[in-house]
Amino acid sequence: MPVMKTAAVRAATAGLFAGLTLSSALVAPAAHAAQGDLDCTGAFNIDITPPLTPQRLTSTAHATGLFANCLSLNGRYDNIQSGVIDAYATVSANGLPANICQLLLTFKSNNPAVNTFTWSPNAGISHYTWRISTDPAQGVVLQAHISSGTLAGDTGTAVPVLADPNPDCALNGLKSLTVDLGAFNFD
């Protein structure tokens, strides 16, 4: 029964997001395994300090958000229903001339000690490295590689990713990015 429910959730989510028009829409590659450890929906916000501008092409990013509606296709993580996202990275604007608001960006963190998924109810913590690229020339991807804790050894991949920059981006630079995840699959 969970397999059918997850397939229905994926199909409904894909249909819902296909009809939306946002500032930037990307489709990341689908997860590899047929029987996944965990599938969740979710959303997060990335705060960028100081803001990216045509004169400042690299900065620091802090992502916070939530996973919801988590399902485990293979039953290994049936105890997980949701999770809290907390992560840090370096963000760089790609392309010349740099049009920050067109979201040709790369976020990258190689320090799992500062990145956590806190799973509920009482399902532990995951530490991970992560990378987001919204630049087709760099390869469009949103991935988290779990290095320790719950889901250790898994890679999480988002499908699809919809991103909106702060509304005043053209005037004040890119200082935040809101990301809606249709599905985040851990395999």
Side-chain angles (χ1 to χ4, degrees):
M1 183 70 172
V3 173
M4 290 174 39
K5 185 174 180 184
T6 300
V9 168
R10 282 185 178 165
T13 303
L16 172 67
F17 285 117
L20 294 177
T21 303
L22 295 175
S23 299
S24 176
L26 350 154
V27 178
H32 305 184
Q35 289 290 319
D37 281 338
L38 194 66
D39 291 349
C40 302
T41 59
F44 60 94
N45 189 69
I46 301 174
D47 292 318
I48 300 168
T49 309
L52 292 175
T53 66
Q55 295 76 35
R56 185 184 310 109
L57 301 178
T58 301
S59 191
T60 302
H62 179 212
T64 56
L66 298 171
F67 288 121
N69 307 312
C70 297
L71 297 170
S72 179
L73 289 176
N74 62 17
R76 290 183 62 199
Y77 297 95
D78 279 342
N79 59 324
I80 296 177
Q81 297 171 0
S82 61
V84 175
I85 302 165
D86 190 23
Y88 295 86
T90 299
V91 58
S92 302
N94 305 322
L96 293 174
N99 184 342
I100 303 302
C101 302
Q102 286 187 341
L103 304 179
L104 297 179
L105 307 170
T106 300
F107 296 83
K108 188 170 184 178
S109 173
N110 290 324
N111 184 358
V114 299
N115 304 314
T116 58
F117 296 139
T118 304
W119 300 107
S120 295
N122 302 316
I125 293 175
S126 300
H127 291 277
Y128 58 95
T129 59
W130 62 287
R131 179 173 160 316
I132 300 174
S133 173
T134 62
D135 186 350
Q138 303 285 325
V140 175
V141 66
L142 190 157
Q143 288 186 329
H145 299 283
I146 311 298
S147 58
S148 65
T150 305
L151 295 160
D154 276 14
T155 296
T157 306
V159 254
V161 178
L162 301 170
D164 277 328
N166 49 291
D168 62 346
C169 182
L171 297 174
N172 297 313
L174 183 62
K175 54 187 171 183
S176 69
L177 192 61
T178 301
V179 180
D180 294 318
L181 305 173
F184 204 92
N185 312 112
F186 293 93
D187 294 306

mmCIF file of all heavy atoms in Angstrom, residues 44-79:
data_model
loop_
_atom_site.group_PDB
_atom_site.id
_atom_site.type_symbol
_atom_site.label_atom_id
_atom_site.label_comp_id
_atom_site.label_asym_id
_atom_site.label_seq_id
_atom_site.Cartn_x
_atom_site.Cartn_y
_atom_site.Cartn_z
ATOM 1 N N PHE A 44 12.271 25.007 1.781
ATOM 2 C CA PHE A 44 13.247 25.666 2.633
ATOM 3 C C PHE A 44 13.539 27.057 2.113
ATOM 4 O O PHE A 44 13.221 27.405 0.984
ATOM 5 C CB PHE A 44 14.527 24.841 2.794
ATOM 6 C CG PHE A 44 15.278 24.547 1.529
ATOM 7 C CD1 PHE A 44 16.318 25.363 1.111
ATOM 8 C CD2 PHE A 44 14.980 23.422 0.774
ATOM 9 C CE1 PHE A 44 17.028 25.068 -0.041
ATOM 10 C CE2 PHE A 44 15.692 23.120 -0.368
ATOM 11 C CZ PHE A 44 16.718 23.948 -0.783
ATOM 12 N N ASN A 45 14.115 27.870 2.980
ATOM 13 C CA ASN A 45 14.524 29.217 2.641
ATOM 14 C C ASN A 45 16.031 29.309 2.810
ATOM 15 O O ASN A 45 16.582 28.773 3.769
ATOM 16 C CB ASN A 45 13.832 30.233 3.556
ATOM 17 C CG ASN A 45 14.076 31.645 3.094
ATOM 18 O OD1 ASN A 45 13.573 32.051 2.059
ATOM 19 N ND2 ASN A 45 14.870 32.389 3.836
ATOM 20 N N ILE A 46 16.680 29.983 1.882
ATOM 21 C CA ILE A 46 18.118 30.205 1.973
ATOM 22 C C ILE A 46 18.351 31.702 2.153
ATOM 23 O O ILE A 46 17.946 32.501 1.307
ATOM 24 C CB ILE A 46 18.845 29.712 0.708
ATOM 25 C CG1 ILE A 46 18.605 28.226 0.485
ATOM 26 C CG2 ILE A 46 20.339 30.016 0.818
ATOM 27 C CD1 ILE A 46 19.171 27.691 -0.822
ATOM 28 N N ASP A 47 18.975 32.069 3.265
ATOM 29 C CA ASP A 47 19.377 33.452 3.502
ATOM 30 C C ASP A 47 20.826 33.600 3.078
ATOM 31 O O ASP A 47 21.675 32.775 3.439
ATOM 32 C CB ASP A 47 19.220 33.815 4.977
ATOM 33 C CG ASP A 47 17.758 33.851 5.399
ATOM 34 O OD1 ASP A 47 16.934 34.384 4.626
ATOM 35 O OD2 ASP A 47 17.445 33.341 6.485
ATOM 36 N N ILE A 48 21.124 34.652 2.315
ATOM 37 C CA ILE A 48 22.464 34.885 1.783
ATOM 38 C C ILE A 48 23.012 36.170 2.390
ATOM 39 O O ILE A 48 22.410 37.238 2.233
ATOM 40 C CB ILE A 48 22.427 34.965 0.250
ATOM 41 C CG1 ILE A 48 21.885 33.653 -0.311
ATOM 42 C CG2 ILE A 48 23.801 35.291 -0.315
ATOM 43 C CD1 ILE A 48 21.524 33.693 -1.777
ATOM 44 N N THR A 49 24.159 36.052 3.104
ATOM 45 C CA THR A 49 24.737 37.184 3.814
ATOM 46 C C THR A 49 26.226 37.266 3.526
ATOM 47 O O THR A 49 26.941 36.310 3.818
ATOM 48 C CB THR A 49 24.523 37.033 5.332
ATOM 49 O OG1 THR A 49 23.145 36.772 5.581
ATOM 50 C CG2 THR A 49 24.958 38.267 6.071
ATOM 51 N N PRO A 50 26.707 38.400 3.015
ATOM 52 C CA PRO A 50 25.957 39.518 2.452
ATOM 53 C C PRO A 50 25.314 39.113 1.125
ATOM 54 O O PRO A 50 25.691 38.102 0.538
ATOM 55 C CB PRO A 50 27.024 40.590 2.253
ATOM 56 C CG PRO A 50 28.306 39.845 2.114
ATOM 57 C CD PRO A 50 28.159 38.592 2.921
ATOM 58 N N PRO A 51 24.337 39.905 0.651
ATOM 59 C CA PRO A 51 23.650 39.558 -0.594
ATOM 60 C C PRO A 51 24.610 39.475 -1.783
ATOM 61 O O PRO A 51 25.611 40.195 -1.833
ATOM 62 C CB PRO A 51 22.661 40.716 -0.802
ATOM 63 C CG PRO A 51 22.504 41.336 0.543
ATOM 64 C CD PRO A 51 23.810 41.137 1.254
ATOM 65 N N LEU A 52 24.286 38.583 -2.729
ATOM 66 C CA LEU A 52 25.038 38.527 -3.985
ATOM 67 C C LEU A 52 24.651 39.719 -4.848
ATOM 68 O O LEU A 52 23.472 40.061 -4.956
ATOM 69 C CB LEU A 52 24.739 37.239 -4.738
ATOM 70 C CG LEU A 52 25.234 35.938 -4.125
ATOM 71 C CD1 LEU A 52 24.739 34.761 -4.953
ATOM 72 C CD2 LEU A 52 26.739 35.911 -4.004
ATOM 73 N N THR A 53 25.644 40.336 -5.468
ATOM 74 C CA THR A 53 25.429 41.449 -6.394
ATOM 75 C C THR A 53 26.385 41.240 -7.567
ATOM 76 O O THR A 53 27.280 40.385 -7.495
ATOM 77 C CB THR A 53 25.752 42.807 -5.722
ATOM 78 O OG1 THR A 53 27.153 42.848 -5.429
ATOM 79 C CG2 THR A 53 24.930 43.016 -4.452
ATOM 80 N N PRO A 54 26.252 42.012 -8.645
ATOM 81 C CA PRO A 54 27.224 41.876 -9.737
ATOM 82 C C PRO A 54 28.666 42.149 -9.282
ATOM 83 O O PRO A 54 29.601 41.648 -9.881
ATOM 84 C CB PRO A 54 26.758 42.919 -10.753
ATOM 85 C CG PRO A 54 25.282 43.012 -10.517
ATOM 86 C CD PRO A 54 25.132 42.873 -9.016
ATOM 87 N N GLN A 55 28.837 42.896 -8.191
ATOM 88 C CA GLN A 55 30.168 43.175 -7.669
ATOM 89 C C GLN A 55 30.611 42.134 -6.634
ATOM 90 O O GLN A 55 31.789 42.019 -6.335
ATOM 91 C CB GLN A 55 30.210 44.558 -7.005
ATOM 92 C CG GLN A 55 29.981 45.710 -7.968
ATOM 93 C CD GLN A 55 28.512 45.872 -8.365
ATOM 94 O OE1 GLN A 55 27.604 45.636 -7.579
ATOM 95 N NE2 GLN A 55 28.287 46.239 -9.619
ATOM 96 N N ARG A 56 29.694 41.389 -6.045
ATOM 97 C CA ARG A 56 29.992 40.375 -5.033
ATOM 98 C C ARG A 56 29.392 39.055 -5.496
ATOM 99 O O ARG A 56 28.205 38.817 -5.350
ATOM 100 C CB ARG A 56 29.404 40.758 -3.677
ATOM 101 C CG ARG A 56 29.789 39.795 -2.567
ATOM 102 C CD ARG A 56 29.130 40.114 -1.225
ATOM 103 N NE ARG A 56 29.267 41.490 -0.811
ATOM 104 C CZ ARG A 56 28.254 42.383 -0.789
ATOM 105 N NH1 ARG A 56 27.044 42.028 -1.147
ATOM 106 N NH2 ARG A 56 28.462 43.620 -0.401
ATOM 107 N N LEU A 57 30.218 38.191 -6.064
ATOM 108 C CA LEU A 57 29.736 36.964 -6.694
ATOM 109 C C LEU A 57 29.838 35.734 -5.795
ATOM 110 O O LEU A 57 29.434 34.645 -6.201
ATOM 111 C CB LEU A 57 30.496 36.720 -7.998
ATOM 112 C CG LEU A 57 30.365 37.837 -9.036
ATOM 113 C CD1 LEU A 57 31.191 37.512 -10.264
ATOM 114 C CD2 LEU A 57 28.910 38.070 -9.400
ATOM 115 N N THR A 58 30.354 35.897 -4.573
ATOM 116 C CA THR A 58 30.445 34.781 -3.629
ATOM 117 C C THR A 58 30.006 35.274 -2.259
ATOM 118 O O THR A 58 30.301 36.407 -1.872
ATOM 119 C CB THR A 58 31.889 34.250 -3.545
ATOM 120 O OG1 THR A 58 32.289 33.836 -4.847
ATOM 121 C CG2 THR A 58 32.002 33.068 -2.597
ATOM 122 N N SER A 59 29.288 34.404 -1.522
ATOM 123 C CA SER A 59 28.805 34.784 -0.200
ATOM 124 C C SER A 59 28.557 33.527 0.631
ATOM 125 O O SER A 59 28.893 32.412 0.213
ATOM 126 C CB SER A 59 27.519 35.610 -0.327
ATOM 127 O OG SER A 59 27.179 36.191 0.916
ATOM 128 N N THR A 60 27.946 33.713 1.795
ATOM 129 C CA THR A 60 27.612 32.619 2.698
ATOM 130 C C THR A 60 26.100 32.418 2.707
ATOM 131 O O THR A 60 25.343 33.392 2.719
ATOM 132 C CB THR A 60 28.098 32.949 4.133
ATOM 133 O OG1 THR A 60 29.505 33.165 4.072
ATOM 134 C CG2 THR A 60 27.802 31.821 5.086
ATOM 135 N N ALA A 61 25.676 31.159 2.711
ATOM 136 C CA ALA A 61 24.247 30.834 2.697
ATOM 137 C C ALA A 61 23.884 29.999 3.917
ATOM 138 O O ALA A 61 24.658 29.143 4.347
ATOM 139 C CB ALA A 61 23.904 30.057 1.426
ATOM 140 N N HIS A 62 22.691 30.261 4.478
ATOM 141 C CA HIS A 62 22.140 29.474 5.582
ATOM 142 C C HIS A 62 20.735 29.035 5.167
ATOM 143 O O HIS A 62 19.869 29.871 4.915
ATOM 144 C CB HIS A 62 22.085 30.292 6.871
ATOM 145 C CG HIS A 62 21.514 29.547 8.024
ATOM 146 N ND1 HIS A 62 20.801 30.159 9.025
ATOM 147 C CD2 HIS A 62 21.536 28.226 8.352
ATOM 148 C CE1 HIS A 62 20.423 29.260 9.916
ATOM 149 N NE2 HIS A 62 20.847 28.076 9.523
ATOM 150 N N ALA A 63 20.545 27.719 5.075
ATOM 151 C CA ALA A 63 19.248 27.159 4.656
ATOM 152 C C ALA A 63 18.517 26.577 5.865
ATOM 153 O O ALA A 63 19.111 25.850 6.661
ATOM 154 C CB ALA A 63 19.462 26.066 3.612
ATOM 155 N N THR A 64 17.237 26.914 5.984
ATOM 156 C CA THR A 64 16.381 26.330 7.016
ATOM 157 C C THR A 64 15.062 25.941 6.359
ATOM 158 O O THR A 64 14.610 26.592 5.420
ATOM 159 C CB THR A 64 16.101 27.317 8.164
ATOM 160 O OG1 THR A 64 15.534 28.519 7.626
ATOM 161 C CG2 THR A 64 17.370 27.655 8.931
ATOM 162 N N GLY A 65 14.470 24.858 6.846
ATOM 163 C CA GLY A 65 13.203 24.438 6.262
ATOM 164 C C GLY A 65 12.672 23.173 6.885
ATOM 165 O O GLY A 65 13.135 22.735 7.952
ATOM 166 N N LEU A 66 11.692 22.571 6.193
ATOM 167 C CA LEU A 66 10.990 21.400 6.720
ATOM 168 C C LEU A 66 10.775 20.352 5.641
ATOM 169 O O LEU A 66 10.507 20.684 4.487
ATOM 170 C CB LEU A 66 9.624 21.807 7.270
ATOM 171 C CG LEU A 66 9.601 22.789 8.435
ATOM 172 C CD1 LEU A 66 8.179 23.244 8.702
ATOM 173 C CD2 LEU A 66 10.214 22.163 9.668
ATOM 174 N N PHE A 67 10.877 19.088 6.045
ATOM 175 C CA PHE A 67 10.386 17.963 5.258
ATOM 176 C C PHE A 67 9.055 17.543 5.863
ATOM 177 O O PHE A 67 8.879 17.589 7.088
ATOM 178 C CB PHE A 67 11.340 16.759 5.337
ATOM 179 C CG PHE A 67 12.619 16.925 4.588
ATOM 180 C CD1 PHE A 67 13.834 16.838 5.244
ATOM 181 C CD2 PHE A 67 12.617 17.150 3.231
ATOM 182 C CE1 PHE A 67 15.028 16.965 4.559
ATOM 183 C CE2 PHE A 67 13.802 17.282 2.534
ATOM 184 C CZ PHE A 67 15.018 17.197 3.203
ATOM 185 N N ALA A 68 8.116 17.107 5.028
ATOM 186 C CA ALA A 68 6.807 16.644 5.511
ATOM 187 C C ALA A 68 6.373 15.432 4.688
ATOM 188 O O ALA A 68 6.988 15.102 3.679
ATOM 189 C CB ALA A 68 5.777 17.768 5.389
ATOM 190 N N ASN A 69 5.310 14.796 5.123
ATOM 191 C CA ASN A 69 4.697 13.680 4.385
ATOM 192 C C ASN A 69 5.708 12.601 4.018
ATOM 193 O O ASN A 69 5.663 12.052 2.916
ATOM 194 C CB ASN A 69 4.009 14.190 3.117
ATOM 195 C CG ASN A 69 3.030 15.302 3.405
ATOM 196 O OD1 ASN A 69 2.210 15.180 4.304
ATOM 197 N ND2 ASN A 69 3.138 16.391 2.690
ATOM 198 N N CYS A 70 6.624 12.279 4.915
ATOM 199 C CA CYS A 70 7.671 11.301 4.622
ATOM 200 C C CYS A 70 7.119 9.879 4.601
ATOM 201 O O CYS A 70 6.334 9.500 5.472
ATOM 202 C CB CYS A 70 8.789 11.402 5.656
ATOM 203 S SG CYS A 70 9.639 12.999 5.628
ATOM 204 N N LEU A 71 7.516 9.117 3.590
ATOM 205 C CA LEU A 71 7.129 7.715 3.431
ATOM 206 C C LEU A 71 8.364 6.890 3.098
ATOM 207 O O LEU A 71 9.211 7.326 2.325
ATOM 208 C CB LEU A 71 6.115 7.557 2.299
ATOM 209 C CG LEU A 71 4.774 8.256 2.478
ATOM 210 C CD1 LEU A 71 3.987 8.211 1.186
ATOM 211 C CD2 LEU A 71 3.993 7.607 3.605
ATOM 212 N N SER A 72 8.442 5.692 3.657
ATOM 213 C CA SER A 72 9.556 4.791 3.384
ATOM 214 C C SER A 72 9.054 3.629 2.529
ATOM 215 O O SER A 72 8.290 2.792 3.002
ATOM 216 C CB SER A 72 10.138 4.266 4.700
ATOM 217 O OG SER A 72 11.208 3.379 4.454
ATOM 218 N N LEU A 73 9.476 3.587 1.253
ATOM 219 C CA LEU A 73 9.017 2.540 0.341
ATOM 220 C C LEU A 73 9.479 1.153 0.775
ATOM 221 O O LEU A 73 8.750 0.179 0.627
ATOM 222 C CB LEU A 73 9.521 2.812 -1.075
ATOM 223 C CG LEU A 73 8.893 3.985 -1.803
ATOM 224 C CD1 LEU A 73 9.571 4.186 -3.150
ATOM 225 C CD2 LEU A 73 7.411 3.766 -1.990
ATOM 226 N N ASN A 74 10.692 1.067 1.309
ATOM 227 C CA ASN A 74 11.215 -0.243 1.690
ATOM 228 C C ASN A 74 10.974 -0.577 3.161
ATOM 229 O O ASN A 74 11.361 -1.643 3.627
ATOM 230 C CB ASN A 74 12.705 -0.348 1.358
ATOM 231 C CG ASN A 74 13.552 0.655 2.107
ATOM 232 O OD1 ASN A 74 13.136 1.245 3.105
ATOM 233 N ND2 ASN A 74 14.760 0.871 1.604
ATOM 234 N N GLY A 75 10.347 0.334 3.906
ATOM 235 C CA GLY A 75 9.994 0.081 5.296
ATOM 236 C C GLY A 75 11.108 0.308 6.302
ATOM 237 O O GLY A 75 10.872 0.204 7.501
ATOM 238 N N ARG A 76 12.306 0.624 5.861
ATOM 239 C CA ARG A 76 13.431 0.806 6.787
ATOM 240 C C ARG A 76 13.269 2.017 7.687
ATOM 241 O O ARG A 76 13.796 2.052 8.795
ATOM 242 C CB ARG A 76 14.742 0.942 6.015
ATOM 243 C CG ARG A 76 15.181 -0.353 5.359
ATOM 244 C CD ARG A 76 16.515 -0.215 4.673
ATOM 245 N NE ARG A 76 17.546 0.111 5.663
ATOM 246 C CZ ARG A 76 18.718 0.649 5.352
ATOM 247 N NH1 ARG A 76 19.013 0.926 4.104
ATOM 248 N NH2 ARG A 76 19.603 0.916 6.288
ATOM 249 N N TYR A 77 12.542 3.036 7.224
ATOM 250 C CA TYR A 77 12.405 4.276 7.991
ATOM 251 C C TYR A 77 10.931 4.659 8.167
ATOM 252 O O TYR A 77 10.583 5.837 8.113
ATOM 253 C CB TYR A 77 13.200 5.398 7.314
ATOM 254 C CG TYR A 77 14.677 5.106 7.295
ATOM 255 C CD1 TYR A 77 15.279 4.514 6.184
ATOM 256 C CD2 TYR A 77 15.464 5.368 8.405
ATOM 257 C CE1 TYR A 77 16.632 4.220 6.179
ATOM 258 C CE2 TYR A 77 16.822 5.075 8.406
ATOM 259 C CZ TYR A 77 17.394 4.495 7.293
ATOM 260 O OH TYR A 77 18.734 4.198 7.303
ATOM 261 N N ASP A 78 10.081 3.673 8.453
ATOM 262 C CA ASP A 78 8.658 3.938 8.667
ATOM 263 C C ASP A 78 8.403 4.863 9.848
ATOM 264 O O ASP A 78 7.345 5.475 9.945
ATOM 265 C CB ASP A 78 7.890 2.629 8.878
ATOM 266 C CG ASP A 78 7.563 1.936 7.570
ATOM 267 O OD1 ASP A 78 7.615 2.598 6.511
ATOM 268 O OD2 ASP A 78 7.249 0.732 7.609
ATOM 269 N N ASN A 79 9.367 4.964 10.773
ATOM 270 C CA ASN A 79 9.196 5.812 11.945
ATOM 271 C C ASN A 79 9.355 7.301 11.640
ATOM 272 O O ASN A 79 8.991 8.140 12.455
ATOM 273 C CB ASN A 79 10.190 5.405 13.049
ATOM 274 C CG ASN A 79 11.644 5.507 12.585
ATOM 275 O OD1 ASN A 79 11.966 5.225 11.430
ATOM 276 N ND2 ASN A 79 12.520 5.915 13.486
#
